[in-house]
């Protein structure tokens, strides 16, 4: 797998949303809706370039999503943007009925997911959004870095149907480059290995790659899979389970109903495998992003420890 | 309005009433009070005011109707069937397994159902989006939304009201079924909405009042709304819940209860007596 091996440049995935939208501006059907957060969600550049296709909803997220549904029903490709806690939490009923049941082609693009929101604290650190959206059958993409976030945004416009795109606030290392394959729905093996497979999404993919380095010093060969989309790329996950015999999932999300739960259900059905889960088990709190990563056990050393545990259960 | 046209619309309204009672009685579940009160509004919309063609349900320039208070869908289904979107016999599949006519509407544009509704307070938001889409398309098509009075207790209704006014959506007309009844009693007793017209005016809307069970009054208000150049229009339609069936009128019990066989027979008898006189 070709990656940007230096990991020196850092950028937030939310910037990928902004830059992706700017590129999509060429498509006259693409419209952007915002709920008073154009700076934070990085949609301001689109607004400046395409003011007629930018709609401000104000602090009214139910209406943000409802308006997007109306635009979608008439053939537009709306990106409804806000923070994850508002878009998937506050507006859940509207997403359920007017987007999911309605089969409206709305791209719900939310930033500020996860504990790395930092100082704003627990009310703003959305940790249940993937569970909520996948429960509605909405395809969910959690990009691993800025570049993948931009590519996911661009790919979302031509994806047939509604999508949930999940982005973070914090600057994180860019680990992919232009040659890294990306296709919604297809997981990619970012590092090969045979003793254990770490299946991760979002910013946890970088932590998983770092964990694999730690494991290597201990003689454990770890495979790292960037599993950015749910529903799962079942083939890649099952292949990893059969080849490695032990699994760790890693996500900046609750262990209930996200990537880990989904992987373990698949494994329980098709290939029972010792599995351990890295993810949050409580609401967040105020602190720096790195302190909170530490506090919730989302960092590479913790993943490496949990991986060793899974491996010992083989 | 010409006498002939008025009589035709009235006749259709009473035919819709017959359909509604038959559907709900046959389903042995569902709402008939609200739909009966809306018969004139739907007769006017589908047979007089709206530009639509049942033979071309996906025609891009059709006027749109988004039903927000999904539980009154029996009147929508009856109006769609009588407009030719699907055979009238299909009305008897209402609320049955596998039916296209779900207990609350499920979007199916091919038979004229423009949006899914049931959870209240969403239809106006979807209508605002559709009105913005019409504007982006530089289209003259109009967007209609039907909502209920009780539904205006949902905060999301007012989020949408704010946006429609903010975007000067004069191509959007909201018809509010003001029968003053919601599931647990009279609206004025459950959660007061008054001063209702003043609320819409304060949100920047052009507000009209209509006698909702008078086809001429409804049609005039809709025509007047078309002349408005800068604001969305709300037409507060004063209707009577259960209109046309003496034992249902203005009785909150009939918000969501189906008539039994004997009640349905009596209701249909009252309706056909009325039809004979028209």
């Amino acid at each position: 797998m070709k990656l940007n091996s230096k990991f020196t440049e850092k950028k937030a995935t939310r910037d990928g949303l902004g830059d992706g939208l700017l590129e999509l501006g060429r498509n006259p059907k693409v419209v952007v809706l915002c709920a008073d957060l154009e700076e934070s969600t990085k949609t301001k550049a689109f607004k400046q370039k395409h003011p007629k296709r930018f709609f401000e909803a104000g602090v009214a997220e139910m209406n943000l999503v409802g308006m997007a549904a109306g635009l979608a029903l008439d053939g537009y490709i709306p990106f409804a943007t806000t923070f994850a806690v508002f878009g998937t939490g506050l507006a859940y009923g509207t997403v359920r009925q007017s987007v999911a049941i309605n089969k409206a082609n709305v791209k719900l693009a939310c930033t500020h997911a996860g504990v790395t929101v930092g100082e704003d604290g627990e009310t703003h650190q959305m940790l249940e959004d993937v569970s909520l959206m996948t429960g509605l059958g909405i395809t969910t993409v959690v990009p691993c870095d800025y570049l993948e976030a931009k590519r996911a945004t661009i790919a979302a416009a031509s994806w047939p149907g509604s999508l949930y795109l999940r982005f973070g606030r914090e600057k994180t290392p860019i680990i992919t480059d232009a040659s890294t394959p990306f296709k919604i729905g297809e997981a990619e093996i970012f590092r090969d290995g045979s003793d254990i497979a770490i299946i991760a999404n979002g910013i946890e993919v970088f932590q998983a790659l770092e964990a694999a380095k730690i494991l290597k010093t201990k003689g454990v060969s770890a495979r790292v899979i960037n599993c950015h989309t749910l529903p799962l790329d079942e083939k890649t996950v099952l292949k990893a389970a059969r080849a490695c015999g032990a699994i760790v999932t890693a996500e900046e999300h609750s262990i209930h109903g996200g990537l880990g739960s989904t992987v373990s259900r698949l494994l329980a059905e098709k290939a029972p495998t010792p599995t351990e889960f890295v993810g949050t088990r409580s609401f967040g709190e105020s602190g720096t992003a790195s302190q909170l990563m530490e506090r919730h056990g989302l960092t590479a050393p913790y993943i490496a420890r949990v991986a060793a545990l899974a491996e010992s259960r083989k | 309005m010409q006498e002939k046209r008025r009589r035709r619309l009235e006749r259709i309204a009473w035919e819709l009433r017959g359909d509604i009672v038959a559907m709900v009685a046959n389903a042995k579940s569902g709402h008939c009070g609200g739909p009966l009160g809306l018969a004139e509004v739907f007769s006017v919309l589908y047979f007089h005011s709206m530009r639509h063609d049942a033979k071309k349900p996906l025609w891009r320039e059709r006027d749109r109707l988004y039903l927000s208070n999904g539980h009154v869908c029996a009147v929508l289904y009856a109006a769609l069937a009588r407009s030719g979107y699907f055979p009238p016999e299909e009305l008897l599949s209402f609320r049955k397994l596998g039916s296209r006519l779900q207990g609350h509407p499920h979007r199916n544009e091919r038979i004229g159902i423009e949006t899914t509704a049931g959870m209240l307070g969403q239809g106006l938001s979807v209508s605002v989006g559709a009105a913005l889409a019409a504007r982006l398309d530089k289209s003259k098509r109009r967007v209609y939304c039907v909502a209920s009075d009780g539904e205006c207790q949902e905060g999301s209704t007012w989020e949408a009201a704010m946006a429609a006014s903010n975007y000067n959506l004069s191509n959007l007309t909201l018809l509010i079924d003001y029968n003053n009844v919601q599931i647990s009693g009279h609206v004025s007793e459950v959660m007061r909405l008054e001063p209702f017209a003043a609320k819409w005016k304060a949100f920047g809307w052009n507000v009209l009042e209509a006698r909702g069970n008078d086809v001429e009054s409804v049609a005039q208000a809709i025509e007047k709304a078309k002349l408005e150049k800068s604001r969305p229009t709300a037409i507060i339609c004063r209707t009577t819940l259960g209109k046309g069936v003496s034992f249902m009128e203005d009785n909150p019990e009939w918000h969501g209860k189906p008539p039994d066989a004997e009640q349905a027979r009596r209701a249909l008898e009252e309706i056909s007596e009325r039809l004979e006189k028209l």
Side-chain angles (χ1 to χ4, degrees), chain A residues 56 63 74 76 97-98, chain B residues 60 64 119 122 125 137 167:
Chain A
E56 177 61 69
N63 191 46
D74 275 333
Y76 285 90
Q97 176 171 292
S98 291
Chain B
R60 196 163 170 80
R64 307 288 200 273
M119 197 185 282
Q122 296 186 21
S125 284
D137 286 351
Y167 287 104

Side-chain angles (χ1 to χ4, degrees), chain A:
Chain A
M1 172 62 52
K2 188 139 174 15
L3 293 175
N4 168 3
S5 55
K6 296 212 174 57
F7 298 172
T8 47
E9 200 190 341
K10 280 184 166 189
K11 228 169 173 181
T13 53
R14 61 175 163 152
D15 287 303
L17 169 64
D19 291 348
L21 288 176
L22 210 50
E23 208 151 300
L24 283 173
R26 284 194 294 259
N27 181 343
K29 288 290 177 192
V30 169
V31 297
V32 174
L33 296 96
C34 167
D36 193 31
L37 289 167
E38 59 181 33
E39 299 274 358
S40 302
T41 56
K42 304 292 173 190
T43 54
K44 197 174 179 177
F46 183 97
K47 174 190 171 178
Q48 283 165 343
K49 200 143 182 219
H50 309 284
K52 285 191 176 145
R53 284 190 277 130
F54 180 89
F55 300 104
E56 177 61 69
V59 190
E61 291 81 9
M62 290 182 283
N63 191 46
L64 169 89
V65 174
M67 287 200 296
L71 281 153
L73 295 183
D74 275 333
Y76 285 90
I77 305 170
F79 283 74
T81 63
T82 181
F83 288 177
V85 71
F86 309 136
T88 70
L90 199 154
Y92 178 77
T94 315
V95 177
R96 182 176 189 273
Q97 176 171 292
S98 291
V99 176
I101 300 178
N102 229 8
K103 294 190 172 63
N105 185 23
V106 171
K107 317 303 178 184
L108 186 59
C110 293
T111 65
H112 292 62
V115 292
T116 49
V117 167
E119 292 78 355
D120 278 350
E122 61 200 339
T123 57
H124 281 54
Q125 295 162 3
M126 187 50 162
L127 299 170
E128 313 91 51
D129 49 334
V130 173
S131 168
L132 290 171
M133 295 300 101
T134 54
L136 296 176
I138 294 178
T139 298
T140 294
V141 183
V142 189
C144 69
D145 67 2
Y146 159 79
L147 204 60
E148 192 168 272
K150 184 176 169 187
R151 295 165 82 187
T153 302
I154 294 165
S158 44
W159 176 262
S162 61
L163 264 186
Y164 174 51
L165 300 167
R166 183 186 209 239
F167 306 101
R169 170 184 185 272
E170 187 71 357
K171 287 192 172 97
T172 52
I174 297 178
I175 57 180
T176 63
D177 67 22
S179 69
T180 310
F182 173 79
K183 206 171 165 204
I184 294 173
E186 287 181 15
E188 295 293 342
I189 299 170
F190 271 16
R191 177 187 173 116
D192 210 358
S194 53
D195 296 330
I196 177 122
I198 309 173
I199 300 173
N201 66 16
I203 61 170
E204 288 299 281
V205 175
F206 170 72
Q207 299 297 332
L209 288 168
E210 294 296 293
K213 286 185 199 163
I214 299 171
L215 287 163
K216 195 181 171 199
T217 64
K218 295 175 177 159
V220 177
S221 157
R223 179 179 300 193
V224 174
I225 297 173
N226 173 17
C227 191
H228 46 68
T229 306
L230 290 172
L232 279 180
D233 174 348
E234 298 194 352
K235 221 169 112 185
T236 304
V237 172
L238 287 172
K239 220 167 132 187
R242 285 174 183 135
C244 304
I247 299 276
V248 175
T249 62
E251 60 199 310
E252 190 197 6
H253 182 275
S254 164
I255 56 164
H256 301 290
L259 176 66
S261 297
T262 313
V263 166
S264 68
R265 184 178 49 77
L266 172 71
L267 296 179
E269 283 172 354
K270 304 226 169 107
T273 308
T275 307
E276 296 286 336
F277 306 93
V278 170
T280 62
R281 287 151 205 264
S282 65
F283 288 124
E285 63 190 292
S286 288
T288 65
S290 60
Q291 283 170 334
L292 290 161
M293 289 281 284
E294 212 45 65
R295 172 67 58 98
H296 288 270
L298 300 172
T299 55
Y302 187 80
I303 296 173
R305 276 212 301 281
V306 169
L309 187 64
E311 219 233 337
S312 71
R313 287 172 53 201
K314 279 209 258 188

Side-chain angles (χ1 to χ4, degrees), chain B residues 1-17 38-50 52 75 79 82-83 212-220 222-223 274-275 278:
Chain B
M1 185 184 288
Q2 286 177 342
E3 179 63 11
K4 205 174 138 197
R5 161 77 52 128
R6 185 180 62 77
R7 290 171 75 104
R8 178 171 172 265
L9 293 175
E10 275 177 3
R11 190 169 179 83
I12 292 167
W14 284 90
E15 285 168 347
L16 296 178
R17 288 199 165 92
L38 280 167
E40 281 77 15
V41 169
F42 276 76
S43 172
V44 169
L45 282 168
Y46 278 89
F47 297 90
H48 180 68
S49 302
M50 278 170 49
H52 69 117
V75 68
R82 288 196 179 266
S83 299
N213 294 120
D214 173 341
V215 291
E216 213 155 355
S217 175
V218 173
Q220 274 171 6
I222 292 173
E223 287 312 306
R274 202 48 205 267
L275 265 170
L278 284 172

Side-chain angles (χ1 to χ4, degrees), chain B residues 219-233:
Chain B
Q220 274 171 6
I222 292 173
E223 287 312 306
K224 218 170 151 191
K226 288 181 185 171
L227 303 175
E228 169 64 39
K229 292 284 177 251
S230 63
R231 294 172 298 174
T233 295

